[in-house]
């Protein structure tokens, strides 16, 4: 009887493990392959040596770029080099990336920048919020941008028990923001177990000096976050759920889910067109390939376009392009054989692609039109 019970328990455990493995592979799109779409008029913008994870563009055309992310479980070809913040002036005919000097007193040696976002105050002061992972911890660094000498003045480091595994950030004031925690745990083994078991413990946190609280939860892995031009809606990308969630923002800073944009790819960072409210997303067709470096079988990337009408009458998404070009294929801080398109930015007749790689910024000109057709 005892042996039979042991066999039954082993069988149940094996069945549960097999079910979890299958579900895990499905969330990663492990079997998905995409046909590449050519990228005409695509050119490399040189100057960044260790890749770029995020881009944020000011209304005047200045683009901030975070570079050099080291992330648990992701191979890095520059593990000993600190991260950097670059600036590009998109008003120039041939823009180039220039490293921004950071004020003395800031720990540059452990700088490991992830998501970034800017906030322009009423007096035109520009604040740059940077998600940082010093020693694989999570902090938010607040800087003031000094345009006269292309420098960043470090104002403060923000730490909190609710900011445990921060991925991305969107500022809503000079010292307040929403942030995504992509995992509940910060230890790599526990993070992997969390993903494997399909635990929906990821969340969104609101932070201000007076109040810090969880405002949305139940995500597999909340990743990119952004805000609508009218400041009424927050967008959250769940990379393992293949969805973008539209959340209504309330006066007390809480969020209410109102719509879901369902996609077939792993959604990373989000960019919102400031004039139309259109949603541009950098995506990964096959998440399994992100964890296994194979220069002969690159993971590829996708850029998807979505439209959210403020009447909430419809949301639609269209694939703009996908690529397994060695210059636009995913991964964190990796040489030219392995790149990422985590964020897409748009200006007139131009898309700016951030590629987390050795060759990291690409510009596409005159290659797209409105790809969205009204669907009820």
């Amino acid at each position: 009887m005892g042996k039979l019970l042991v066999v039954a328990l082993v069988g149940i455990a094996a069945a549960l493990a097999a079910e979890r493995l299958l579900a895990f592979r499905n969330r990663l799109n492990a079997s998905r392959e995409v046909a590449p779409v050519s990228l005409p008029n695509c050119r490399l913008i040189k100057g960044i040596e260790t890749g770029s994870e995020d881009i944020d563009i000011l209304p005047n055309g200045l683009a901030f770029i975070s570079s050099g992310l080291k992330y648990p479980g992701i191979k890095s070809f520059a593990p000993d080099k600190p991260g950097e913040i670059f600036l590009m002036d998109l008003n120039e005919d041939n823009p180039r990336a220039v490293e921004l000097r950071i004020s003395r007193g800031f720990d540059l040696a452990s700088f490991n920048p992830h998501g970034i976002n800017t906030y322009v105050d009423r007096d035109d002061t520009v604040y740059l919020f940077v998600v940082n992972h010093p020693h694989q911890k999570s902090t938010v660094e607040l800087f003031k941008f000094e345009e006269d000498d292309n420098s960043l003045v470090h104002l403060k480091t923000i730490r909190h028990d609710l900011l445990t595994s921060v991925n991305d950030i969107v500022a809503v004031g000079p010292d307040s923001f929403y942030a995504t925690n992509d995992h509940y745990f910060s230890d790599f083994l526990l993070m992997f177990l969390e993903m494997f078991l399909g635990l929906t413990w990821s969340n969104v946190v609101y932070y201000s000096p007076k109040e810090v609280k969880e405002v949305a939860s139940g995500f597999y892995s909340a990743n990119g976050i952004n805000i609508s031009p009218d400041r009424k809606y927050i967008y959250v990308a769940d990379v393992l759920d293949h969805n973008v969630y539209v959340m209504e923002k309330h006066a007390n800073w809480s969020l209410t889910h109102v719509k879901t944009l369902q996609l077939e790819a792993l959604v990373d960072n989000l960019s919102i067109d400031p004039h139309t409210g259109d949603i541009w997303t950098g995506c990964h067709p096959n998440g399994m390939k992100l964890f296994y470096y194979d220069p002969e079988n690159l993971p590829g990337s996708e850029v998807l376009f979505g439209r959210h009408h403020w009447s909430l009458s419809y949301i639609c998404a269209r694939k703009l392009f996908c690529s397994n070009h060695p210059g636009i294929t995913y991964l964190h801080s990796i040489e030219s054989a392995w790149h990422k398109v985590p964020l897409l930015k748009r200006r007139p007749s131009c898309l700016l692609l951030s590629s987390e790689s050795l060759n990291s910024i690409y510009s596409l000109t005159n290659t797209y039109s409105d790809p969205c057709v009204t669907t009820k």
Side-chain angles (χ1 to χ4, degrees):
M1 183 64 182
K3 293 181 179 179
L4 183 60
L5 179 60
V6 170
V7 170
L9 292 176
V10 170
I12 293 172
L16 289 175
E19 185 276 333
R20 287 293 86 194
L21 177 61
L22 180 61
F24 181 54
R25 286 180 55 85
N26 287 337
R27 283 193 296 274
L28 291 179
N29 279 347
S31 301
R32 184 169 182 246
E33 299 291 340
V34 294
V37 177
S38 62
L39 300 176
N41 303 325
C42 178
R43 65 185 181 89
L44 168 68
I45 298 175
K46 299 180 180 180
I48 300 179
E49 301 299 328
T50 55
S52 60
E53 209 288 331
D54 207 350
I55 306 175
D56 199 51
I57 301 177
L58 294 175
N60 63 5
L62 295 180
F64 295 88
I65 304 161
S66 66
S67 175
L69 174 67
K70 274 76 69 178
Y71 194 82
I74 304 300
K75 183 175 175 61
S76 171
F77 287 100
D80 299 321
K81 184 176 181 179
E84 302 161 292
I85 301 295
F86 288 86
L87 185 73
M88 287 178 55
D89 187 349
L90 301 181
N91 299 298
E92 298 177 356
D93 292 333
N94 295 294
R96 61 189 183 92
V98 177
E99 182 183 356
L100 290 177
R101 180 174 56 84
I102 298 178
S103 60
R104 293 182 179 180
F106 180 72
D107 184 7
L108 288 173
S110 65
F111 191 36
N112 189 14
H114 200 161
I116 62 174
N117 195 239
T118 54
Y119 183 83
V120 182
D121 212 350
R122 295 177 181 178
D123 61 358
D124 292 329
T125 300
V126 176
Y127 296 97
L128 178 67
F129 294 74
V130 181
V131 176
N132 187 22
H133 300 294
H135 313 293
Q136 299 306 324
K137 305 296 183 181
S138 283
T139 65
V140 174
E141 310 295 344
L142 180 58
F143 298 93
K144 182 173 71 171
F145 173 54
E146 298 289 351
E147 187 173 356
D148 292 342
D149 59 356
N150 277 356
S151 67
L152 295 172
V153 176
H154 185 245
L155 301 179
K156 63 179 177 179
T157 297
I158 298 171
R159 298 181 178 89
H160 196 274
D161 291 342
L162 291 181
L163 300 172
T164 54
S165 182
V166 184
N167 183 299
D168 200 10
I169 188 170
V170 60
V172 291
D175 53 5
S176 59
F177 54 84
Y178 291 99
T180 57
N181 284 309
D182 54 17
H183 294 87
Y184 178 82
F185 298 106
S186 56
D187 177 81
F188 171 66
L189 292 178
L190 292 177
M191 288 167 60
F192 178 80
L193 185 62
E194 180 183 343
M195 291 189 297
F196 181 81
L197 294 177
L199 303 178
T200 54
W201 292 357
S202 173
N203 65 1
V204 177
V205 171
Y206 168 74
Y207 176 92
S208 75
K210 296 181 179 180
E211 182 182 27
V212 185
K213 61 181 180 180
E214 180 185 79
V215 291
S217 60
F219 303 100
Y220 284 106
S221 184
N223 196 298
I225 188 169
N226 216 318
I227 193 168
S228 62
D230 60 6
R231 318 293 286 185
K232 292 181 179 180
Y233 298 94
I234 296 292
Y235 301 100
V236 180
D238 189 336
V239 65
L240 293 180
D241 203 23
H242 314 163
N243 288 332
V244 175
Y245 292 91
V246 182
M247 319 287 289
E248 185 176 2
K249 180 171 68 70
H250 301 288
N252 64 354
W253 304 104
S254 63
L255 301 177
T256 301
H257 173 246
V258 291
K259 280 282 186 177
T260 301
L261 178 59
Q262 297 180 336
L263 305 172
E264 59 181 1
L266 282 73
V267 189
D268 202 304
N269 286 344
L270 305 172
S271 180
I272 311 301
D273 189 301
H275 304 292
T276 66
D278 294 340
I279 307 169
W280 300 88
T281 69
C283 304
H284 316 300
N286 186 325
M288 186 65 77
K289 294 182 180 181
L290 306 183
F291 297 100
Y292 297 97
Y293 175 64
D294 182 0
E296 302 301 322
N297 186 20
L298 298 173
S301 296
E302 289 179 287
V303 173
L304 302 182
F305 170 96
R307 172 156 296 166
H308 169 222
H309 276 233
W310 310 128
S311 64
L312 299 180
S313 59
Y314 70 91
I315 300 180
C316 70
R318 296 290 183 271
K319 182 184 298 185
L320 182 64
F321 73 81
C322 60
S323 173
N324 58 7
H325 184 281
I328 308 181
T329 51
Y330 177 86
L331 238 144
H332 292 210
S333 294
I334 305 234
E335 65 180 352
S336 58
W338 207 347
H339 307 302
K340 177 182 181 183
V341 185
L343 186 64
L344 179 69
K345 292 293 183 180
R346 176 184 176 185
R347 65 189 175 97
S349 301
C350 177
L351 299 175
L352 185 64
L353 306 181
S354 166
S355 174
E356 202 162 322
S357 62
L358 185 64
N359 302 320
S360 54
I361 300 295
Y362 291 80
S363 177
L364 273 67
T365 56
N366 301 319
T367 61
Y368 65 88
S369 59
D370 186 344
C372 214
V373 179
T374 301
T375 58
K376 296 294 184 181

